[in-house]
Amino acid sequence: LAAFLLCMASFLSAVAGQLRPMPAGGLPSDLVALGMASKIQTDRNSTARASSDFGRMVEAAPEAVLQPATAADIAELIRFSTSSPVPFPVSPRGQGHSVRGQSLAPGGVVVDMRALGRGDHRINVSADYVDAGGEQLWVDVLRGTLTHGLAPCAWTDYLRLTVGGTLSNAGIGGQAFRHGPQIANVHELDVVTGTGEMVTCSPHKRKDLFFAVLGGLGQFGIITRARIALEPAPKQVRWVRLAYSDVVAFTRDQELLISKQASEAGFDYVEGQVQLNRTLTEGPKSTPFFSEADINRLASLASETGSRAIYFIEAAMYYDETTAPYVDQKLETVLAQLSFVPGFVFTKDVTYLQFLDRVRVEEVVLRSAGVWDVPHPWLNLFIPRSRILDFDAGVLKGILGGDNPVGLILMYPMNTAKWNSQMTAVTPPTREDVFYTVGLLRSALSTNELERLQRENQSVLAFCDKEGIECKQYLPHYTCQDGWRRHFGPKWRKITQLKAKYDPHAIMSPGQRIFQLPS
Ligand code: FAD
């Protein structure tokens, strides 16, 4: 433990050294004299709670935490900072479910976004959209809209994330092939910019700010409300997993399922997972989806076929009372076109809410096993379709072939056309019709494991670089501005211009480490 803490301490001080802290002496003393002084907490308990995140690899304390009651409180704080002789950093924090310190504000003020919704239920449903506070959890947006028989179309796998937190990245999941990421399903935003201005923006009004903020990593302003598109909510879901021992068949079928001709008549949700052999033989004996007998069958499939990995298409078909009689037939028609290992079809019928909130069940299991609040050196990449087999051979069957950490590997394709290139979020530069997301979502249960997984992540990035695989990081993390410049590519110039316009003092979300406060 001592070694672990020592290693963490040196890592954290390195991080803190690169993030420009507050001027010595902390926050300007007249901050606490502001009208909202009672909402500013400077006690150690409050600042400690805002000092780390889900990744548990970075720690840096703010000087204070703002518990805003209204968006105007946030605007006042920002204006106070920008009018100070030395502006201080301000970072909105949703659930703090980033993994590399993106929501931290070393030496500045963290805005606890969840406080916004405490007194007031900020979810208002209309006929085809919902107005949700940026602080709202997606699970609450779902519950609020379901009471009207409606729901947003695009989801992340896990719903205990805030609206502002996922819209600052993209918000991807198995519906993205049809509806695009969550950022492609927003009509309008309320934003408090880095100059303290409160702006309502949309594709028709202040559109530079609208597109900047969607996928904008918190760099241009704070989302306090999002108007999100709704569709009629299905009642039930046929949840399916299909096993493959051959990556070529697996990717060919995934691409068929997300293709235009197949998608309307096929699944409503398409994702995929990879289980390296050791996960099947040495991992949990059963999971919330697979019984012990299923896992044993899958493990024998792996050993019989000699495959170093088993791949699963995870898919879902939505239905309700009127379509229920046809769901078996519809599923059969779709399955008849696919090349999974015969007999390796696993299905479950669940409600729509149970399906969308499925990771909550995993969370409960992981929490009870004590492996939820541990370091998460996650790496998410967008890989051009043309290089996914090279990635599979070099990374999944090569670099990751070693020990068997707790966690998950996701791999599924999305349609590039569903991503609006005006937004800040980036996709692979090749602009092929399809790209894959690969999530190496692994947890470290010891210092050695954390170090090993971090090294493996570096090797994965070096492999892509060496092999000329033009991937992009999703939920990106770079330690120097050069990395960010390469990440944004042709968008970089525009991003610096938007930054100069909407956050000229570079105070917003410093934990992303894109811009430094000017000295
Ligand atoms: P935070 O971590 O609090 O903040 C993230 C960044 O956004 C910070 O820079 C912060 O300053 C900024 N920010 C926060 N709120 C606002 C706001 N209102 N306005 C502007 N900027 C803001 N992502 C997917 O796309 N798909 C998934 O399926 C998925 N599954 C996940 C499962 C788990 C278990 C976890 C831990 C994460 C998952 N993620 C997924 C990643 C997740 O979407 C991002 O980490 C997201 O940022 C977390 O939201 P949050 O509310 O915790 O944001």
Side-chain angles (χ1 to χ4, degrees), residues 229-244:
L230 296 178
E231 64 178 8
K235 295 257 179 346
Q236 288 289 125
V237 174
R238 175 75 47 93
W239 182 11
V240 182
R241 286 193 187 169
L242 312 167
Y244 293 74

Side-chain angles (χ1 to χ4, degrees), residues 53-55 74 90-99 101-104 111 113-114 116 133-138 155-174 181-182 190-192 213 216-225 271 358-359 363 372 376 378 380 382 410 412 419 441 474-475 508-512:
D53 60 16
F54 184 76
I74 300 175
V90 173
S91 187
R93 175 187 176 90
Q95 284 285 82
H97 271 26
S98 325
V99 298
Q102 287 93 332
S103 65
L104 309 187
V111 179
M113 293 301 290
R114 298 285 294 141
L116 268 184
E135 76 291 350
Q136 293 295 322
L137 299 186
W138 282 98
W155 295 96
T156 50
D157 295 343
Y158 180 62
L159 302 188
R160 269 114 184 129
L161 306 168
T162 64
V163 166
T166 70
L167 295 184
S168 301
N169 285 293
I172 57 168
Q182 289 179 324
D190 282 348
V191 176
V192 182
V213 167
L217 306 173
Q219 294 306 298
F220 311 101
I222 299 185
I223 299 167
T224 54
R225 176 187 62 96
E271 286 199 5
R358 63 200 176 278
V359 177
E363 177 185 350
W372 180 260
H376 294 100
W378 287 5
N380 288 276
F382 289 165
L410 295 180
Y412 60 89
W419 290 65
L441 311 182
Y474 176 56
L475 310 171
M508 304 302 302
S509 294
Q512 299 278 4

